[in-house]
Amino acid sequence: MSETSATAISASGLRAQGVRLRHISENIANADTPGYRRKLVSFEPDRDFGRDTGTVRASRTRHDRAELPQVYAPGHPMAGADGYYLGSNVDLVIEVADAREASRSYEANLKMFEQSRQMSAALLDLIRR
């Protein structure tokens, strides 16, 4: 594996985890928004003319199709005649755990990117001697 592909792989991981972190932060921000559906993103291999490049990319954004909870709040403006309205299907415990995982993965990809760059600089120094 060349240093170029190592940096490309780690950069693609950085981009993908960045997208994931954005969706997680949107989910957390809208946890109390009535009718909000949790946004999901998964990773898929990036392909170049049908061949795997070794890099990843974030898939299209999907919405969690889990049922929205019924919240009883008769004084809420969105409540129906029975006093219920549809809440959000965001679970903050899951979102925080996902955020921690994505953050650690982002840090690992960043460390790999930096190490690859340092190895390239050291190689260039050796060639110049």
Side-chain angles (χ1 to χ4, degrees):
M1 176 186 311
S2 70
E3 88 286 336
T4 304
S5 64
T7 56
I9 290 170
S10 58
S12 73
L14 287 169
R15 280 189 301 275
Q17 291 297 346
V19 169
R20 183 177 178 205
L21 281 167
R22 264 193 309 276
H23 288 312
I24 291 169
S25 65
E26 287 177 20
N27 290 341
I28 291 172
N30 288 296
D32 291 331
T33 303
Y36 181 82
R37 291 194 178 274
R38 178 177 181 231
K39 291 182 179 179
L40 302 170
V41 67
S42 59
F43 302 146
E44 50 192 39
D46 203 7
R47 300 188 188 280
D48 187 24
F49 297 109
R51 295 185 321 195
D52 283 341
T53 61
T55 59
V56 295
R57 63 184 173 93
S59 68
R60 292 183 52 192
T61 303
R62 297 176 290 119
H63 289 95
D64 189 352
R65 301 310 304 170
E67 235 179 88
L68 296 175
Q70 294 277 335
V71 179
Y72 182 71
H76 194 278
M78 294 186 73
D82 59 355
Y84 286 94
Y85 71 91
L86 294 177
S88 168
N89 66 356
V90 174
D91 184 352
L92 289 177
V93 174
I94 292 173
E95 297 302 323
V96 169
D98 284 352
R100 182 170 289 165
E101 178 187 355
S103 176
R104 296 254 166 91
S105 181
Y106 188 91
E107 290 171 7
N109 279 302
L110 185 59
K111 187 79 163 171
M112 182 63 193
F113 186 84
E114 291 171 356
Q115 287 179 347
S116 179
R117 191 176 52 83
Q118 289 172 354
M119 288 173 51
S120 297
L123 179 61
L124 287 174
D125 286 344
L126 285 173
I127 291 173
R128 287 183 196 148
R129 292 184 188 178

